[in-house]
Amino acid sequence: MALGFAVGVFGVLILFHAAYSTIQYRGLLKIMEEEFSRPPMNVVAELLLGLVFCIWAALTVPGKFLSIQPYSEENRIVSLPANSDFMIFNHRGKVFPLEMDVKLKH
């Protein structure tokens, strides 16, 4: 996990360096009075490398995926209806009638 975290930090640093290089490049183009069309290829390569490192770190750092056991007592979804704090009865739905006599036109 420490290696994945270090790779993630390195990827973020590469992304920051690519952003800084792009800002420097735009400043240089302003001095030379040229128009900015796209960043240099080395900055694009840095962006792609930093993206790959960050994605790899995001997939490896969180750890092992655990299976969800639906009939567990610790499952929050199973125990949620027992908690009355989340039940709201005073809402806009009471304006509508319970039975709607709507006939579809064919």
Side-chain angles (χ1 to χ4, degrees), residues 11-65:
V12 169
L13 289 176
I14 288 176
L15 290 176
F16 280 137
H17 183 264
Y20 182 73
S21 297
T22 303
I23 292 170
Q24 271 190 328
Y25 179 70
R26 288 188 72 177
L28 180 67
L29 288 179
K30 283 182 183 178
I31 291 172
M32 295 172 38
E33 296 178 356
E34 293 181 15
E35 189 174 319
F36 180 79
S37 60
R38 62 184 176 90
M41 289 307 293
N42 63 345
V43 173
V44 173
E46 279 185 44
L47 286 171
L48 292 176
L49 186 66
L51 178 70
V52 168
F53 283 160
C54 288
I55 288 175
W56 185 78
L59 293 175
T60 58
V61 168
K64 184 180 175 185
F65 289 110

Side-chain angles (χ1 to χ4, degrees), residues 56-95:
W56 185 78
L59 293 175
T60 58
V61 168
K64 184 180 175 185
F65 289 110
L66 301 176
S67 62
I68 298 173
Q69 300 173 356
Y71 299 110
S72 173
E73 292 295 326
E74 297 173 358
N75 195 352
R76 290 178 38 183
I77 296 174
V78 173
S79 63
L80 185 63
N83 190 353
S84 63
D85 290 342
F86 292 104
M87 295 182 186
I88 300 172
F89 298 106
N90 189 15
H91 53 79
R92 291 181 281 178
K94 66 183 177 182
V95 173

